[in-house]
Structures are given as structure tokens and as C-alpha cells.
Amino acid sequence: TNSCRSLTMLGDPCQLPPTVRGDVTGTGSSPLSVSLMSRLASTLHQPVIVTAQADKTRRDDRYLNALPTKQAVSLVRYKSKDATAHISYRKQYAGSLLLSVQYRMHPSISAFSSAVFYDGLLSTPAFLAEHRPFPPALNDLLPSAHPGVGVRFVDVGGRGNERKGERSFSSPTQEVAATVENTSYRNDAEAQEILMLLKDLLRKTNESKERDNNAPPMSIGIVTPYSSQVALIKSLMAADAEFRSLAIQSSTVIEVKSVDGYQGRERDLIIFSAVRSNRQGRLGFLTDWRRMNVALTRAKSALVVFGDTETLRDGDRHWEALVNWCENLGCVVDAGTDESQANEYM
């Protein structure tokens, strides 16, 4: 860059920070975890913006301005450990230009992240509410008091389901084999619940495909912070004969990756496994709000979070705010809710 006249950097200071191997906490608290873009956005002069005309795209701010969203913002600010006053996004990153309209997510999916991480500056065009509906088959399996909301939180509970340590996962077909590092965590209960949901969903989508062959295929991404959980879910999928049969019949694309491997990607349905479940409220690098922001903003039509609400609520103010937000919107579902229970609920 020494010889260039101008330099444009594209990115997001509110997403994944650099990986610092010396940061044993993994929470992004090291000074080295502040990216170059974040440093420049905080120190450069405010850019001069020249536009031909104002953007007149109609926005959908129903969820962004809803009471549960405002309560989530208030909780995060009230429980902030920083003694200084809240610094707005515009002031903190004054040297950057925010592209303030997002075209990926249903407005209900983007509302929490926009309000909590971007001070409500990230808006959604109104037409996306119609173009990104919550899949009816998924709504049958995970009913909500407000079916139009594109988020579900499946409370697996347990307060002791997480496991740490080295373990090898291998399928009978030898298609999947992974050895997990001692520092990684897994949660068998969440992995089993995710597999059950996938099988139920594939069953329904295959039935719909038989009735309507023109139905567009769904893309599904399973995202989790820990490599051990990635390996476990892949192993369960490969070892389950029923799942393999349903997947072969279906045109649905399913992939399993870590949060770090999913930055910049998107899928129709994102299933997130939080993994951590303990009585001490220890969340490890889940407390890094930038990693949380990435995980919550990959879905286009539906976001399903599997986690232990009590552990998450005790461990971090951002996760507590998310759990409360989901409860106030009526989109928390207890694990093990089958279709008969769903129909009863509806």
C-alpha cells in the first residue's frame, strides 16, 4: 500500500476478531484482538458521503422498535462492566461508512443484532418479510406464539450437559473420523436434539416435494463454536441410517461448520448449538459478542438456537438479553417437543 493513492477496506469491526493464540481466555480480550480495520475506523476522520438522492426503500422496523428489543438493549447497557458511558456505534467507528441496509435476513432475525451491536442503525427492506418466510414445516415442529418471527430458541437445559476432553468420533462407514483437542467442548444432548429435528424436517420436506415437485430446495447450515461439537454432529449424521436415507431422498443441502468457518456465509436455515451447559455459568469464548454476532446473522429465513437457557443467562449479559428477548417474543421451545405436542400447542 506504500505506492497507492487511496485504500478502501471492506469488513465489519463488529464481527470475528483476529485469532490470538496467546489469548488463553479466547474471549477476544487481548489488545491484539483489535483488528486493523477496527483501529482505523476508530481513529480516521469521518468520511464525506456524496449521494445523488436519499434511499427511499421502505423499511420494516416492527421488530427493531418492539418493546422486547428495547429491553434487550437496556439490559446489555445496564450490565456492562465498563464504567464509562455507552459509546454509540457512530462515535466509536466514526472513520468508517456503515452500509445500513441488509438484504439477507428476515427483519425479525436481524432485529436483535441491529439493536444490540449496531445501535439500531442496520435496517431491513420491508419486502424481505414476505420473501423470507419462516418455513411452515419448521413451524409445525417448533411452534411459536408468534409464527411470523423467524427465530426459535430450543431450551435443552441440563446445566451439566457439556463435556470436555479428547474423544475420537468415527462412523461405521468410516466417512467421518475426528480427534478433538482437550480444549474443545461437546454437548451430546444438543447434538441428539439437532439430529432429531433434522430428521423430522427432512421427512416433512420430502413429503412436500412429493406433492409439489417445484418446491425450492432448502439450504441448512449447522453452526457451533466448538470443533468437538462439529465432529460429534457429523459423526451422528453419518452413523444414523434413517438420516442418511432421508438426506439422499431430499434435495436439501446440509453442512456443519464452526462459527469461525461460517463468517461471510449464509443459509436459508441456520441451526446454532451453543454447547455450554454448566452450573457455574462459564461460557468461555461464547462471551465474545463479535462471535455471537456472526452466529446470529447467517440465516435468511429461520434461525434456531439450541442451548441451556440458564447457563447462558448466568454467563453473559448479551446471551441473557437474547434469552429474555426470545422469551418475550414467545419463541422459546422446550427440547423434545414433537409434532403431536406442537399441534396441541397450536
Side-chain angles (χ1 to χ4, degrees), residues 219-223 253-257 262 266-272 304:
S219 59
I220 301 176
I222 303 172
V223 186
V253 178
I254 303 175
E255 65 177 358
V256 188
K257 287 185 177 292
Y262 234 92
E266 63 182 26
R267 286 291 181 265
D268 296 319
L269 164 61
I270 287 291
I271 299 173
F272 178 76
V304 180

Side-chain angles (χ1 to χ4, degrees), residues 296-313:
L296 299 181
T297 55
R298 303 302 97 199
K300 294 195 288 186
S301 299
L303 169 66
V304 180
V305 179
F306 283 79
D308 184 336
T309 56
E310 293 185 19
T311 297
L312 295 173
R313 190 180 261 139

Side-chain angles (χ1 to χ4, degrees), residues 26 71-72 75 87 96 102 154 171 185 188 203 206 208 215 227 235-236 241 256 280 282 291:
Q71 290 172 335
L75 175 65
I87 303 176
S96 65
Q102 68 86 22
V154 180
S171 69
Y185 286 85
D188 294 71
R203 223 174 273 117
N206 288 347
S208 300
S227 58
S235 175
L236 291 176
V256 188
Q280 295 75 32
R282 294 193 302 260
R291 180 169 274 103

Side-chain angles (χ1 to χ4, degrees), residues 46-102:
Q46 186 173 355
V48 177
I49 305 169
V50 179
T51 55
Q53 60 181 9
D55 184 0
K56 296 181 181 179
T57 304
R58 192 166 64 88
R59 312 285 203 267
D60 187 335
D61 296 330
R62 290 174 297 162
Y63 301 100
L64 188 59
N65 295 326
L67 179 59
T69 308
K70 293 179 179 178
Q71 290 172 335
V73 174
S74 298
L75 175 65
V76 169
R77 292 182 183 176
Y78 174 74
K79 292 205 168 185
S80 175
K81 296 178 181 178
D82 191 351
T84 59
H86 170 70
I87 303 176
S88 68
Y89 179 93
R90 286 194 188 279
K91 186 173 289 187
Q92 185 172 1
Y93 302 113
S96 65
L97 172 63
L98 174 68
L99 301 180
S100 59
V101 183
Q102 68 86 22

